[in-house]
Amino acid sequence: MDFGEIHGKYGDRLSFHGTIGTQTTMPFGTPEQVRAEVFRNLDITGKKGGLLVSPTHLPEPEVPWENIRAYIQACRDYTR
């Protein structure tokens, strides 16, 4: 599912949880890709909000600690 499309269609009526892939970005992406996905999804929501940005499910053991740290730091750093 494309988060931008779904948020554009339903973001005025729904809030979302997740959007950071636990089968894609978290286990197989780089820390920079994790950070970029967090920022991209928060940019989509903009001032309208409606997103609790988080991994889509519980991170599995194969998720590198560097990506978990990158996710946490990106959430802290986002200020747009």
Side-chain angles (χ1 to χ4, degrees):
M1 297 178 144
D2 180 78
F3 177 62
E5 181 181 330
I6 294 169
H7 189 271
K9 189 171 184 177
Y10 302 107
D12 60 336
R13 293 172 277 166
L14 296 174
S15 293
F16 299 88
H17 177 267
T19 73
I20 308 301
T22 55
Q23 295 181 348
T24 54
T25 307
M26 289 301 288
F28 302 115
T30 64
E32 293 78 20
Q33 289 169 323
V34 171
R35 181 180 181 84
E37 190 164 345
V38 168
F39 276 41
R40 179 181 65 85
N41 292 339
L42 288 171
D43 282 345
I44 288 170
T45 63
K47 292 183 180 185
K48 187 189 282 188
L51 173 63
L52 177 59
V53 65
S54 66
T56 56
H57 301 285
L58 180 69
E60 297 294 331
E62 65 268 10
V63 174
W65 279 106
E66 295 81 18
N67 287 359
I68 294 171
R69 285 191 288 271
Y71 158 73
I72 293 167
Q73 193 61 51
C75 292
R76 289 178 176 161
D77 291 347
Y78 186 85
T79 59
R80 294 184 196 168

